Amino acid sequence: MKTIIKSIIMNKVYIYAILFALASFAGHADAQTLNGEAFGILNLDYPGLEKVKALHQAGQDEKAAEALLDYYRARTNIKTPEINPQKPSIGKEERKWADDALQHTFFVHKGYQPSFNYGEDIDWRYWPVRDNELRWQLHRHKWFTPMGKAYRVTGDEKYAKEWVFQYLDWIKKNPLSPQDDAENVRFAWRPLEVSNRLQDQTSQFQLFIPSRHFTPAFLTQFLVNYHRHATHILGHYSKQGNHLLFEAQRMIYAGTFFPEFKEAKEWRKSGIDILNEQIGIQVYADGGQYELDPHYHLAAINIFCKALAMANLNGFRDEFPQAYLDTVERMIMFYANICFPDYTNPCFSDAKLTAKQEMVKNYRTWSKIFPRNEAIKYFATEGREGSLPAYLSKGFLDSGFFVFRNSWGADATQMVLKAGPEAFWHCQPDNGTFELWFNGANLFPDSGSYVYAGDGEVMEERDWFRQTAVHNTVTLNNKNLETTQSVTRLWQPEGDVQTLVTENPGYKNLTHRRTVFFVDGTYFVIVDELTGSAKGFVNLHYQMPRGEIANSREDMTFATQFEDGSNMKLQCFGPEEMTMKKEPGWCSTAYRKRYKRMNVSFNAKKESGDAVRYITVIYPVKKAKEAPALAAKFKNKNFSDNSLSVEVKVNGKKRTLEMTLDEKRNQ
Ligand code: MG
């Protein structure tokens, strides 16, 4: 009997020991367990922390944590541009994300809707589709800030309770230990994601801090976790590109929002230094961002502006020199020029379409930073105030973006052509391609990008959209360009006949010279000349808009049969033996969204050193039946290195188009 009792007691001891061990392990990130590390990473001499310091030094950390929470709840001098916790509001979409999150259905990515459920016991490694973005962006916690807004708007503590739970659950299940858990660290601790959390947690902190679930102990857990994030970025900044910009801007946030951390000044300074340096590296003199992707160009503007807004709100604007402001202004004007009258952007490279509503909001923010810029004001007020630029067509010769336009209004005829230098990751090998807007519609939308990166299947999808052959340009044997290094040989943006001549040595022994004439502000004549000793099939590609298109192999014509408003006729005049091929194609202007359309190519064999030459006339018309009869031919019988002359007939009316190049090509 004694032994039995003894064994029960002993077992009880074991059980208690086990329970205690479990509790202290879990206590590592527990809302009720204080993390004393917090007092070591804070500068306790920071004004306002006197009481915290005294209590901590007296060994009363629980009381010190309470005093620290009181301090933060009363703190009003530090502001962030994203939210005003005193005037909370939430839209329908964000409210849904907040409510779904209560059941662990997390809004991770717009391309994957409806959202996936991550289980009652949250599985932060769940990866239902092997697209890297889906797993990376889970760790951006996009539903946390909406939960905070829902909490503030409704006053319902369930949002705060759940946020605290999920915040700690994430810490517990996603340790930063690359040696033991490299696979998960690659996703959860990628610097871009870490920086995203650094920024958004400044909003969450402000929104949730009044809650009773935001306990003094939780505050210590939060601060230790936040500090680990900033420290991680400091040692792991991305090497280049937009990631580095994002990370730097968010370190400015971290250092500004929590000046109480010992390293806060260092964080802020590192961010400011990087932005000041990178704005010179990543932005060409004409204002184009070097990834040559309108979406990332826009993102870069907003990064630079966010840093400025944070500096403005918290009194360190003079840490950014005037040159920084001038560059941002040039970037905005670059974007305003390459976009269409409905505020949408060309979807070159990895760009997605940004809607008008969002752009008007952007222009309003920018107009506050650049109040004297009349064009920005015009776009911010949808034309009610300010004024349009005095010019129409505009070239950006460093970035290789060229805009032909006859108006800034919705009725404009506007071509945006991309033919720039070699660019960074998000850029596609598409030199010479264009989009064309006419009277309210985009008649030549780019194929877009559809997805970024992931396993084999996802990469295959990405690669389809990246192909040179699915752009409005020329390939050799339908292969991707080997070189994307366009040289502008002529840009003449004024008068009845405006001209661009751009040249890309796209393949070994094959150079593509594309001449575009914009005639009478009405139609385009595109002349493609392929020179060099390379042999094979030369393919001139055009991506047709969606809808009914009459076409004829006899005269190589495509004519849209759309409703009145925006139509066009395209006709190609090439070598005698030229063939025409129609293939199914895709167009994607949002992640994981695409529709079918027709890809067309005109193909001719290049068998000798002689140039292969094409003339394409694209004639926009309001009504399909107004499409004119077209004819075109070369007047110079052979390719000339420094000139070109073509004759075009529109309804029988003759027109000669010519260009002469001053300098010899540098080769
Ligand atoms: Mg593209």
Side-chain angles (χ1 to χ4, degrees):
M1 190 64 187
K2 255 190 178 173
T3 358
I4 292 170
I5 291 169
K6 202 177 167 189
S7 120
I8 287 171
I9 291 169
M10 283 309 292
N11 280 338
K12 257 195 169 168
V13 168
Y14 276 124
I15 289 163
Y16 277 130
I18 289 163
L19 282 177
F20 181 78
L22 279 173
S24 43
F25 175 74
H28 201 67
D30 182 309
Q32 310 315 326
T33 309
L34 192 128
N35 191 333
E37 264 181 66
F39 301 106
I41 53 182
L42 290 170
N43 167 18
L44 295 180
D45 291 321
Y46 193 82
L49 297 185
E50 298 80 7
K51 202 175 159 192
V52 180
K53 184 181 177 182
L55 287 163
H56 171 64
Q57 283 181 343
Q60 301 184 48
D61 277 359
E62 279 188 17
K63 287 225 163 80
E66 278 170 32
L68 188 59
L69 184 57
D70 289 344
Y71 161 83
Y72 278 117
R73 280 183 174 152
R75 196 186 77 170
T76 53
N77 61 329
I78 292 164
K79 296 180 172 67
T80 52
E82 281 75 27
I83 54 149
N84 178 354
Q86 306 317 319
K87 289 185 192 161
S89 69
I90 189 168
K92 220 174 127 188
E93 195 177 42
E94 283 196 317
R95 181 64 194 269
K96 184 174 164 27
W97 300 344
D99 287 331
D100 283 354
L102 297 173
Q103 273 76 50
H104 302 173
T105 296
F106 296 146
F107 172 74
V108 172
H109 198 295
K110 273 224 157 96
Y112 294 95
Q113 292 301 304
S115 296
F116 297 101
N117 186 281
Y118 286 75
E120 198 181 318
D121 177 14
I122 301 169
D123 180 1
W124 295 100
R125 287 148 208 248
Y126 181 47
W127 196 7
V129 179
R130 299 222 150 208
D131 177 338
N132 290 344
E133 294 298 329
L134 188 63
R135 185 136 174 215
W136 270 319
Q137 295 193 26
L138 171 67
H139 299 284
R140 292 187 194 173
H141 303 151
K142 290 178 199 170
W143 61 95
F144 275 3
T145 303
M147 284 170 93
K149 292 179 181 171
Y151 168 63
R152 279 304 186 100
V153 167
T154 63
D156 194 332
E157 286 287 339
K158 69 181 176 188
Y159 296 105
K161 188 181 174 196
E162 181 62 23
W163 174 72
V164 167
F165 166 77
Q166 289 182 16
Y167 191 93
L168 296 172
D169 190 67
W170 184 89
I171 296 176
K172 244 188 294 187
K173 294 176 182 166
N174 295 282
L176 177 52
S177 50
Q179 298 81 4
D180 319 324
D181 202 3
E183 159 79 0
N184 191 57
V185 167
R186 184 163 82 85
F187 290 100
W189 288 90
R190 182 169 73 144
L192 183 64
E193 271 59 43
V194 177
S195 75
N196 209 294
R197 296 195 295 270
L198 268 186
Q199 172 180 287
D200 291 357
Q201 287 182 15
T202 62
S203 294
Q204 293 147 29
F205 186 86
Q206 294 173 80
L207 290 164
F208 285 117
I209 199 165
S211 167
R212 62 183 157 85
H213 294 283
F214 202 116
T215 60
F218 175 75
L219 173 63
T220 60
Q221 302 281 7
F222 180 97
L223 292 173
V224 170
N225 181 53
Y226 196 89
H227 182 267
R228 186 176 300 140
H229 276 55
T231 308
H232 185 66
I233 298 271
L234 203 62
H236 298 87
Y237 271 118
S238 295
K239 282 198 183 66
Q240 57 192 343
N242 66 79
H243 286 207
L244 177 57
L245 300 184
F246 275 118
E247 290 153 14
Q249 173 247 316
R250 290 154 175 178
M251 283 297 273
I252 296 173
Y253 267 53
T256 308
F257 190 76
F258 287 113
E260 302 87 2
F261 283 119
K262 282 177 181 162
E263 298 101 327
K265 274 193 185 140
E266 191 191 339
W267 299 345
R268 199 179 86 177
K269 185 176 184 307
S270 84
I272 292 173
D273 288 351
I274 288 171
L275 289 190
N276 275 326
E277 180 200 56
Q278 287 294 315
I279 199 166
I281 296 172
Q282 296 203 19
V283 185
Y284 287 113
D286 61 14
Q289 200 257 357
Y290 75 166
E291 289 179 72
L292 305 182
D293 172 322
H295 180 79
Y296 283 93
H297 178 93
L298 174 62
I301 295 174
N302 283 334
I303 289 168
F304 293 131
C305 286
K306 266 191 176 184
L308 275 176
M310 193 69 169
N312 261 345
L313 277 175
N314 297 287
F316 58 95
R317 165 90 174 244
D318 51 2
E319 289 181 38
F320 294 99
Q322 186 59 37
Y324 179 99
L325 282 152
D326 294 344
T327 305
V328 176
E329 193 171 1
R330 274 197 298 277
M331 293 179 80
I332 296 171
M333 290 314 296
F334 175 95
Y335 194 79
N337 271 278
I338 66 162
C339 284
F340 299 110
D342 67 347
Y343 289 69
T344 59
N345 55 287
C347 282
F348 296 139
S349 301
D350 275 342
K352 305 177 259 274
L353 209 66
T354 303
K356 178 173 180 177
Q357 203 188 1
E358 200 181 326
M359 279 317 302
V360 172
K361 237 167 85 184
N362 278 324
Y363 281 111
R364 277 195 212 132
T365 307
W366 300 339
S367 195
K368 279 185 205 141
I369 304 173
F370 303 101
R372 283 197 293 272
N373 186 311
E374 293 294 314
I376 296 176
K377 191 179 288 170
Y378 183 93
F379 294 115
T381 60
E382 297 178 64
R384 285 185 298 276
E385 289 171 47
S387 55
L388 286 164
Y391 54 84
L392 293 169
S393 296
K394 175 92 176 163
F396 297 90
L397 275 73
D398 305 297
S399 316
F401 277 69
F402 301 89
V403 185
F404 292 105
R405 70 164 82 236
N406 63 1
S407 154
W408 286 88
D411 62 347
T413 302
Q414 181 188 348
M415 176 185 276
V416 185
L417 189 140
K418 176 175 179 276
E422 193 173 8
F424 193 55
W425 200 75
H426 283 290
C427 189
Q428 294 182 348
D430 59 1
N431 293 43
T433 198
F434 62 85
E435 289 201 359
L436 174 56
W437 168 280
F438 173 67
N439 196 37
N442 190 341
L443 290 168
F444 286 85
D446 197 89
S447 294
S449 64
Y450 191 59
V451 284
Y452 289 175
D455 71 0
E457 196 181 326
V458 171
M459 283 316 278
E460 246 172 61
E461 289 172 328
R462 174 177 178 74
D463 289 344
W464 189 92
F465 287 83
R466 279 182 69 78
Q467 290 177 91
T468 309
V470 303
H471 291 86
N472 302 316
T473 191
V474 176
T475 59
L476 177 64
N477 297 322
N478 288 310
K479 293 225 172 74
N480 280 350
L481 287 171
E482 292 162 6
T483 303
T484 53
Q485 193 72 260
S486 292
V487 176
T488 307
R489 300 203 62 199
L490 179 71
W491 170 239
Q492 198 292 102
E494 274 150 21
D496 294 345
V497 180
Q498 303 180 7
T499 313
L500 167 69
V501 182
T502 175
E503 201 170 79
N504 184 40
Y507 302 88
K508 195 178 174 212
N509 300 322
L510 190 76
T511 293
H512 175 203
R513 185 170 86 187
R514 170 163 274 193
T515 302
V516 181
F517 297 106
F518 183 33
V519 187
D520 296 336
T522 306
Y523 65 98
F524 296 91
V525 176
I526 300 171
V527 182
D528 292 297
E529 297 170 285
L530 287 302
T531 57
S533 59
K535 288 176 186 161
F537 275 96
V538 173
N539 332 96
L540 169 59
H541 306 268
Y542 290 105
Q543 322 303 307
M544 293 293 143
R546 177 166 54 171
E548 194 194 338
I549 299 172
N551 56 84
S552 151
R553 218 173 275 274
E554 298 275 288
D555 52 9
M556 303 290 180
T557 300
F558 290 80
T560 62
Q561 305 295 306
F562 304 160
E563 277 175 28
D564 290 357
S566 189
N567 280 279
M568 65 90 192
K569 179 177 177 181
L570 178 152
Q571 192 162 0
C572 185
F573 306 88
E576 233 170 82
E577 70 284 7
M578 177 176 87
T579 61
M580 183 254 276
K581 193 173 173 189
K582 291 182 281 181
E583 281 175 291
W586 295 101
C587 181
S588 170
T589 55
Y591 204 82
R592 298 277 295 182
K593 293 208 163 48
R594 61 184 174 185
Y595 62 79
K596 279 198 174 126
R597 62 158 167 194
M598 177 166 54
N599 285 358
V600 173
S601 62
F602 300 102
N603 309 285
K605 206 168 184 182
K606 192 170 181 306
E607 290 173 297
S608 67
D610 293 347
V612 167
R613 304 190 292 171
Y614 300 91
I615 305 169
T616 309
V617 183
I618 300 178
Y619 204 106
V621 283
K622 286 185 181 162
K623 297 179 180 175
K625 64 178 183 200
E626 289 169 353
L630 300 170
K633 64 177 185 190
F634 285 93
K635 288 189 81 175
N636 50 320
K637 287 276 168 282
N638 297 305
F639 173 79
S640 153
D641 190 52
N642 55 8
S643 67
L644 171 69
S645 178
V646 295
E647 182 187 282
V648 176
K649 280 187 199 166
V650 176
N651 282 335
K653 206 175 154 201
K654 234 187 257 178
R655 185 81 182 246
T656 301
L657 304 170
E658 290 176 317
M659 67 85 179
T660 310
L661 302 173
D662 291 338
E663 300 158 41
K664 274 229 141 204
R665 183 170 24 175
N666 302 320
Q667 269 191 342

